Amino acid sequence: MSDQNKKPDYKKFSIEEIGENHFSSNPETPIRNDAFELDDETKIEQIEAHFREIMHILGLDLQDESLRGTPHRVAKMYVKETFSGLNPENKPTMTLFTNDYHYNEMLVEKNIQFYSNCEHHFVPIVGKAHVAYISSGKVIGLSKLHRIVNYYARRPQVQERMTMQIGNALKSALLTEDVAVIIDADHQCVSSRGVSDQTSSTITAFYGGVFKEEEKKNEFLKMLSI
C-alpha cells in the first residue's frame, strides 16, 4: 500500500492535533466486548452517580428542587432512549412477507425523522433519512424502515457510518443489493458551538446494486423532489 493510500493511525495524534476533525475510525460503532454485562438498571445507577459528579464540578446546586432529579433523568434517558440503539437486543425484528403484488419498481420511504448524537461532542444530530429498495421477492412493513433508521440513530454516531449501517442492514434484511439511503442532517456540534453555522446541513448517501447505475440513481433522486 502506498503512503498516499495508507490509513492514518489516529492513535498517534493527540486530542489537540485531531482538533475539530470529525473522522470515523471504525465502520462499526466502537463497542467493547463487555458492553452488555451490566443490566440497564445498573447502568442507570452508575451513570446517575457520574452525572451528578459532573454537575457538581460545574458548580450546580444539586439540592435545588429543579436539579435534584436531573442525574437520574439523564441516566435513564441515555440508557432507555438516547443510546438505546447500542444494545443489540433493541434491534427491530425484520419479518419478511412475500411480494404478492409482484411490484418490481423501487419503493421509496422519504423524510424519516431521526434524532442522533455526535460521538465527538455528544450533542444532537437531527435529520431525515430517505430509503429505497427494489424487492427481490420479499417486502417488509413500512414501519420497519423507520425502526431500522432509528435503531442506528440512537447511539453516538458519525453520519457517514450511520448511512452505511442503515444501508447494509437493509440489504441484509431485504435479501437484496438494491438499496439506497440518503441522510440530510443538521449537526449541533457545528450550529451551536465551534463555527456556529446554523444554515448548513450534511448529506451522505449509500447506493447498492442497481442504484449504482446513473439512471436508477437519478430516478431515486427525482422521487425525493416530488
Side-chain angles (χ1 to χ4, degrees), residues 23-90:
F23 67 90
S24 175
S25 61
N26 194 331
E28 298 298 329
T29 303
I31 301 175
R32 298 196 323 270
N33 293 331
D34 63 349
F36 307 106
E37 291 181 1
L38 300 179
D39 59 41
D40 282 359
E41 295 310 312
T42 303
K43 287 184 177 182
I44 290 171
E45 182 180 336
Q46 293 188 9
I47 292 171
E48 178 180 348
H50 287 295
F51 200 81
R52 182 178 290 108
E53 183 64 18
I54 289 172
M55 293 178 68
H56 175 75
I57 292 169
L58 288 172
L60 295 169
D61 180 6
L62 286 159
Q63 299 307 310
D64 184 272
E65 190 60 32
S66 179
L67 298 177
R68 192 159 55 89
T70 298
H72 179 75
R73 286 190 291 265
V74 170
K76 185 177 179 181
M77 177 184 69
Y78 275 6
V79 174
K80 296 293 189 180
E81 299 176 275
T82 307
F83 301 126
S84 60
L86 289 171
N87 191 337
E89 290 185 2
N90 294 327

Side-chain angles (χ1 to χ4, degrees), residues 3 7 9 28 35 43 48 54 56 60 65-66 79-80 83 108 120-121 137 140-141 144-145 149 170 179 189 206 209:
D3 290 339
K7 182 179 177 180
D9 183 2
E28 298 298 329
K43 287 184 177 182
E48 178 180 348
I54 289 172
H56 175 75
L60 295 169
E65 190 60 32
S66 179
V79 174
K80 296 293 189 180
F83 301 126
V108 178
H120 301 105
H121 293 95
I140 57 174
K144 297 297 185 181
L145 300 176
V149 167
L170 290 173
V179 168
C189 58
F206 174 99

